[in-house]
Amino acid sequence: EYLNDPDRRDELEANSLFELLEREVIPRYHDQVEGRVPRRWVRRVKHTLAVLGPFVSASRMVKDYTTALYEPAAEHVDRMTADRHARARDLAGWKDRVADGWHGVHVDTVESDSAVTGLGDSRLVEAVVSLGALSGDDVEVQLLRGLVGQGDELEAPVITPMTEVERTDDIHVRYRGEFLCEDAGRYGFTVRVVPSHPDLAASAELGRVTWASSGR
């Protein structure tokens, strides 16, 4: 019940933090039975530096930037500039078409198989999306789900692409997604539509996104 009471949750989490400081951290820091230096505290600090140090070193950071950002960016440039920038020209034309037609993209309905689920239960979600003048290849319909925070926002939502089920008419398409309630707490979800193209660096590149008017 305390998960739905922000004040009660704050009180319990604060008490837990103070208890940790009082019973674990402060006594260890002031433990000087082996001399004036708190040796148990120093050993803990050394252990922490030895275990966590490799994960926060400058060499690891440079390696991560190189493998995750610089090398993929260089490969992307090579692809886009090949054949006298053929793919870059195609992408530019696609961007113009999607930007012009985005006003027709909206989420009509979002439906779920159940309003109440337990820990470990599966949840099925369906959405009917209007694509207007665009096609299913121009967009990705995404299901975002996660625990609900104090302001009814999704905390660290997990994003899963939804699957096209059927085309209900010339512009409307039904999509389906499913997720497991893996953590205890109040779960929520919503649906959004973003542009999708194999040569886009990121879906946010066009500045276009359409959200469902409501989630659960």
Side-chain angles (χ1 to χ4, degrees):
E1 293 295 334
Y2 80 91
L3 289 173
N4 297 323
D5 185 344
D7 294 334
R8 177 58 175 161
R9 180 166 61 182
D10 287 345
E11 178 185 357
L12 291 174
E13 291 177 350
N15 289 338
S16 177
L17 176 60
F18 289 139
E19 183 175 357
L20 178 64
L21 290 172
E22 181 180 356
R23 297 181 180 276
E24 298 291 337
V25 177
I26 295 176
R28 189 181 298 270
Y29 180 78
H30 290 286
D31 182 4
Q32 299 179 3
V33 296
E34 301 178 28
R36 297 183 61 183
V37 177
R39 300 188 183 279
R40 293 179 60 204
W41 173 261
V42 173
R43 283 197 294 269
R44 173 59 63 87
V45 171
K46 289 181 177 179
H47 174 75
T48 301
L49 292 175
V51 173
L52 299 181
F55 296 98
V56 296
S57 65
S59 60
R60 184 205 59 82
M61 179 186 68
V62 171
K63 179 181 178 181
D64 287 351
Y65 270 91
T66 301
T67 58
L69 296 175
Y70 299 149
E71 291 179 350
E75 294 173 358
H76 182 71
V77 170
D78 290 341
R79 289 195 303 270
M80 301 303 288
T81 56
D83 299 326
R84 301 178 63 182
H85 300 83
R87 293 182 70 159
R89 290 195 298 270
D90 290 342
L91 179 61
W94 177 85
K95 286 183 177 180
D96 289 340
R97 181 172 61 82
V98 170
D100 290 341
W102 197 260
H103 65 277
V105 177
H106 50 83
V107 181
D108 287 349
T109 62
V110 177
E111 300 174 348
S112 177
D113 57 348
S114 174
V116 178
T117 52
L119 186 62
D121 288 347
S122 177
R123 192 82 178 269
L124 183 66
V125 180
E126 290 192 349
V128 175
V129 178
S130 169
L131 298 180
L134 304 183
S135 72
D137 294 334
D138 297 323
V139 303
E140 181 175 86
V141 180
Q142 300 175 334
L143 173 64
L144 288 77
R145 86 279 187 180
L147 295 176
V148 178
Q150 296 183 16
D152 286 338
E153 77 283 2
L154 293 180
E155 296 182 339
V158 178
I159 302 173
T160 304
M162 301 181 73
T163 303
E164 180 177 331
V165 177
E166 62 177 347
R167 182 172 287 273
T168 59
D169 56 39
D170 290 342
I171 64 173
H172 291 92
V173 181
R174 182 179 297 276
Y175 290 84
R176 178 176 296 160
E178 190 173 5
F179 66 91
L180 291 176
C181 298
E182 300 173 322
D183 299 306
R186 188 159 61 101
Y187 254 84
F189 65 86
T190 189
V191 173
R192 73 179 182 186
V193 187
V194 297
S196 177
H197 190 282
D199 288 329
L200 274 183
S203 62
E205 192 173 331
L206 269 70
R208 300 290 193 278
V209 59
T210 298
W211 293 86
S213 58
S214 63
R216 296 187 184 182

